[in-house]
Amino acid sequence: EILPGQKISYHQLAERLKMSNTPVIQALKLMELSGIVRHEPNRGYFTEPTSLKEIQEIYDTRELIEVSLLPAIMNNLEEDGISRLRKSLEILPSDNPKEELYQRLITDRNFHLTLARLSKHRTRVQILRHLFDLLYLKYSASLSFVASNSFVGAQHEALFEAVISHNLEAAQEAFKTHFSSVKSHVLKTMGQMIAHQKR
């Protein structure tokens, strides 16, 4: 709801969340360390402006990490992991369009992180979690367009099938196709939003 570059009123946030200012300020400080917001002395906290370059870098880094984890994922794959991965594909139905888009974003995040965790490489999974936080907290408006498209679910299914079949080449190809299409849609949508804001 808070637009890029907008000032954040921690007083209003605290009232809305029905809590004191202290935990809200602590959360904002944590988000500042993560690069999601910035603090200006005597002015307060602001959301960071939109950056197409940052979005490109996030998706490029995600692709490098997630593709590199595929061999370890397949080596560690057991029935329990397959079951968790299959469950992560499910999208909870909702009558509210906004809620459904949110559920699709959460499903996307859960699928990718569940898949990554199967590798048992904790450091790379932590980096991925941070990248998802950046994407979802800074750029959710552009991601909602992608989340509404059915091709994302079909690409996840293709990736799932390749992984459980232990077909490394097919899984690598599925990842590249997925990242290429999603990244181009997100960058195009965000570029249009930036152009519209400048008018």
Side-chain angles (χ1 to χ4, degrees), residues 21 25 37 45 71 110 145 165:
N21 289 338
I25 293 170
V37 301
Y45 287 94
N110 288 346
F145 170 81
S165 301

Side-chain angles (χ1 to χ4, degrees), residues 38-66:
R38 74 180 185 281
H39 181 259
E40 295 183 10
N42 303 317
R43 293 195 65 214
Y45 287 94
F46 293 80
T47 53
E48 286 285 18
T50 299
S51 168
L52 289 177
K53 185 175 184 291
E54 182 177 52
I55 295 172
Q56 172 97 38
E57 287 178 6
I58 289 170
Y59 276 103
D60 289 347
T61 306
R62 276 188 55 198
E63 183 175 358
L64 283 171
I65 293 171
E66 293 187 55

Side-chain angles (χ1 to χ4, degrees), residues 116-175:
R117 283 188 196 105
L118 294 176
S119 71
K120 300 182 180 176
H121 288 269
R122 289 182 58 196
T123 303
R124 280 183 265 183
V125 172
Q126 287 176 337
I127 293 168
L128 280 176
R129 285 183 64 193
H130 173 67
L131 294 174
F132 272 108
D133 286 346
L134 281 175
L135 277 174
Y136 284 50
L137 292 172
K138 288 179 77 171
Y139 302 110
S140 59
S142 65
L143 293 173
S144 63
F145 170 81
V146 174
S148 66
N149 283 276
S150 59
F151 72 81
V152 173
Q155 290 175 353
H156 283 177
E157 289 282 354
L159 185 52
F160 172 78
E161 292 298 332
V163 167
I164 66 169
S165 301
H166 290 82
N167 188 334
L168 181 59
E169 192 175 320
Q172 290 169 333
E173 192 56 41
F175 250 131

Side-chain angles (χ1 to χ4, degrees), residues 73-194:
I73 290 167
M74 290 179 184
N75 285 338
N76 294 319
L77 201 58
E78 296 173 353
E79 283 304 315
D80 179 59
I82 292 171
S83 177
R84 279 185 281 131
L85 195 56
R86 183 178 285 114
K87 189 168 178 53
S88 73
L89 287 166
E90 297 172 10
I91 299 172
L92 296 174
S94 175
D95 296 332
N96 183 330
K98 279 189 176 180
E99 181 68 23
E100 185 175 344
L101 285 176
Y102 174 75
Q103 287 296 341
R104 287 180 179 274
L105 289 174
I106 294 303
T107 300
D108 177 66
R109 178 185 186 275
N110 288 346
F111 173 75
H112 284 275
L113 288 178
T114 300
L115 185 61
R117 283 188 196 105
L118 294 176
S119 71
K120 300 182 180 176
H121 288 269
R122 289 182 58 196
T123 303
R124 280 183 265 183
V125 172
Q126 287 176 337
I127 293 168
L128 280 176
R129 285 183 64 193
H130 173 67
L131 294 174
F132 272 108
D133 286 346
L134 281 175
L135 277 174
Y136 284 50
L137 292 172
K138 288 179 77 171
Y139 302 110
S140 59
S142 65
L143 293 173
S144 63
F145 170 81
V146 174
S148 66
N149 283 276
S150 59
F151 72 81
V152 173
Q155 290 175 353
H156 283 177
E157 289 282 354
L159 185 52
F160 172 78
E161 292 298 332
V163 167
I164 66 169
S165 301
H166 290 82
N167 188 334
L168 181 59
E169 192 175 320
Q172 290 169 333
E173 192 56 41
F175 250 131
K176 288 176 184 173
T177 299
H178 179 54
F179 276 110
S180 176
S181 58
V182 170
K183 182 169 59 177
S184 66
H185 278 289
V186 171
L187 290 172
K188 180 181 176 184
T189 306
M190 185 58 76
Q192 290 170 345
M193 288 172 66
I194 293 170

